[in-house]
Amino acid sequence: MVRAKTEAEASATPAEWALVAYAGAALGRIFPLPPGESLIGRAPQAQVALLDGEVSRLHARLALVEGRVELEDLDSTNGTLVNGERVRGITTLQAGDRLSIGGHVLKLVALDALERAFHETLLDLSTRDPLTGLANRSSALSELQTRFGLSLRYDRPLSVAVCDLDRFKQINDTLGHGAGDFVLRVIGERLLATQREADLAGRIGGEEFLMILPETDLGGALTFAERLRKVVASTPVPLPGGGLEVTCSLGIAERLPGDQDAGQLLARADAALYRAKAGGRNRVCQG
């Protein structure tokens, strides 16, 4: 499947190579391809993470070498297709090629600034909370269902943490909604700074956030939640009138063998959050 480049393609030097998801659960996402190797699969170390039961943990390898993008299937269960043909050996890709991996379709694009802005705008409109930049409620809950299904199918650990800002209504009532919005943006930044690459943080309510923690048992979720709680409590939010002390309460839960859907997991985390609120706030409870 190695094709000769046209003269125009040979002379072109793209600002950045990337894969853009055109179908599947990752729809709209941009996966930049750095120099060297990138892995595609379900494993936490995969740079192109595709959470689909038809995708192998380490499904395929991409290599960006001297401006060329090479693809190799890693003996995956269901194979890798480029433009409808199954990959055998190492294949050199060209801009516009479409990779089919499980239920996902990824298009190789040479991004310039305008092209990147276009794709990022589409993604933000459909999946991002405009205030915090985190996943919105719809995309966060959809991602939770996807990751729950994979956890159940492959018997891998999965935990969630639900975070609620304490006495947030008082901030809006005394300082105004502008201050409240600023607090939410700052907390969103702290969530992103605390999470791992494989985790996902979303805003699922006015001042309520959901963190999805794959490959994480209850002990790991507790460590994460306590770290987040301390980060929020120890660093006042800088407002024009001075630093504002903000705390949060968290409920955590791990998928149990008897769970049949993501709703059961989330309900236990919600119940634990309620206990954290009732127990005095600024604490973590387990569900």
Side-chain angles (χ1 to χ4, degrees), residues 20-40:
V20 178
Y22 274 65
L27 178 66
R29 283 195 60 185
I30 300 172
F31 297 98
L33 301 182
E37 293 191 355
S38 299
L39 295 172
I40 303 175

Side-chain angles (χ1 to χ4, degrees), residues 109-131:
V109 296
L111 290 180
D112 56 19
L114 183 62
E115 185 80 5
R116 168 177 276 280
F118 171 75
H119 287 292
E120 288 180 342
T121 298
L122 289 181
L123 178 62
D124 286 346
L125 288 173
S126 61
T127 65
R128 296 292 175 189
D129 169 52
L131 180 62

